[in-house]
Amino acid sequence: MISNAFEEAQKQLNRAVAVFPISKGLRARMAHAERELTVSIPVRMDDGTIRIFEGFRVQYSSLRGPYKGGIRYHHDTDINEVRALAFWMALKCAVTGLPMGGGKGGITVNPRELSKSELERLSRGWVRALYPVLGPERDIPAPDVNTTPEIIGWMSDEYRKITGDKRNAAFTGKPLGKGGSEGRGAATGVGGFYVFDALRKNMKLPEQVSVAIQGMGNVGGWAAKIFRDHGHTIIAMSDSKGGIWSPQGLDPEAVEKYKKEKGSLKGFPGATQVSNEKLLELPCDVLIPAALENQITKNNAKRIKARVVLELANGPTTTEADDVLFKKGIFVVPDILANSGGVAVSTYEWEQNLKNEHWSEHDVLKKLRSMLERESKHVWDRSKKLKTDLRRAAFAIALERLEKALSAQ
Ligand code: NAD
């Protein structure tokens, strides 16, 4: 399957530029990645054979700082998808004011088909193939779908072995104790909650809301817990095989424990099974896509009943769906703002590594919350000023900052 995510990302850009014109120079730059690498990674499998995997790193924009962005392991990952994700990273770092550019990486692989040692050799192989273009001042990768702190720990270790750079700042999302930051694991889900909370009153939502979440990995899992901890009701959760629905509310820890034991959510007591498609259409206040791109499209947008879509996944809503939702009065809090907590705490991790410091979880989350509250309000105000949706408003702020960086060159 060839990803069309980059086409969607460029459509979003065109729509934003229509309400917030930018210079020809910036428009041209934002149409192309600065550098794209596709590499072959030979891996010795446990049976002694050699398999070649395809790996990627796209360095989209360094206008505002070193490239920054996660690495995705997925069987559908291709260069188009990685390019789109890298583009969004450039905008995400700009809309949050982080001193970073945008990049992204990936490997076309289903990690579940590999043993742990094969996965380690593959991850170290990605670093061996790409280390000359990485580094704390150049490009700092982080986790994304299917890349855990353990995997990032192997990568960081490999980078250190090859280069001798002991600062530990070339990768973020490392395990605690190996240079990782407090709060990094929870950062994307928790940051999504901070953005929601900053905008809740503007979006005219009640104090307690019902929430449906698609995807229960790092991002969806943490989002479920923090929303529940603040008195909200999680009515649905899912993994790639399907979901469960309970209008009375689900206990995220119990759902995660069940999945760990049984391998899926099938048969979870007291809940109704729902497909991932149906989950998106459930009546609720807040719908959180926290899995993959292209989930809300022109085909299902008219059936979405949520009052707000909080995009914790990257690129879950197509531009055609954006228009349908806007007409229905449904707010879409865009990915480049809503899920920016991850890259923010990754940047804090990088800063701690370079300064040889270790900040407390309290300090990390306080810094994150105050930044996200400020930038969320900024995006809201810009949407009012430009009389447009939150996505175009977030793009406008990001583009304004990228324009400043370009003119300072
Ligand atoms: P993850 O690998 O930890 O979890 C992914 C989850 O999605 C799993 O529960 C998986 O079962 C589920 N899933 C996979 N395919 C699905 C499908 N077709 N339908 C429904 N569910 C499916 O990944 P993650 O880190 O939680 O990332 C999730 C999303 O959040 C991605 O879009 C990612 O780019 C984005 N994101 C992640 C971070 C981060 O810090 N990890 C930061 C910003 C954005």
Side-chain angles (χ1 to χ4, degrees), residues 72 144-146 184 188 216-219 240 276 290-291 312-314:
R72 177 172 294 193
D144 191 72
V145 172
N146 287 326
R184 175 60 185 92
T188 310
M216 48 178 287
N218 170 287
V219 176
S240 59
N276 267 304
L312 295 195
N314 283 306

Side-chain angles (χ1 to χ4, degrees), residues 366-382:
K366 198 170 148 207
K367 195 173 160 85
L368 178 68
R369 186 165 204 155
S370 96
M371 183 276 280
L372 287 174
E373 278 175 359
R374 184 184 67 237
E375 298 304 341
S376 300
K377 298 221 158 87
H378 199 169
V379 170
W380 180 268
D381 292 346
R382 186 62 67 96

Side-chain angles (χ1 to χ4, degrees), residues 240-257:
S240 59
K241 297 183 198 124
I244 48 174
W245 171 44
S246 167
Q248 290 75 41
L250 296 164
D251 170 7
E253 277 93 0
V255 176
E256 278 182 0
K257 187 163 171 263

Side-chain angles (χ1 to χ4, degrees), residues 256-309:
E256 278 182 0
K257 187 163 171 263
Y258 188 90
K259 179 181 153 84
K260 219 175 191 174
E261 282 166 14
K262 311 266 177 187
S264 82
L265 303 181
K266 232 183 187 156
F268 185 83
T272 308
Q273 307 291 311
V274 282
S275 65
N276 267 304
E277 293 73 35
K278 281 277 167 267
L279 181 145
L280 298 171
E281 298 168 16
L282 290 172
C284 61
D285 296 311
V286 182
L287 171 64
I288 301 186
L292 298 172
E293 300 91 62
N294 281 336
Q295 298 301 302
I296 307 175
T297 66
K298 67 172 196 263
N299 300 326
N300 62 358
K302 51 188 176 303
R303 294 192 296 275
I304 302 289
K305 297 175 194 72
R307 294 164 72 181
V308 168
V309 176

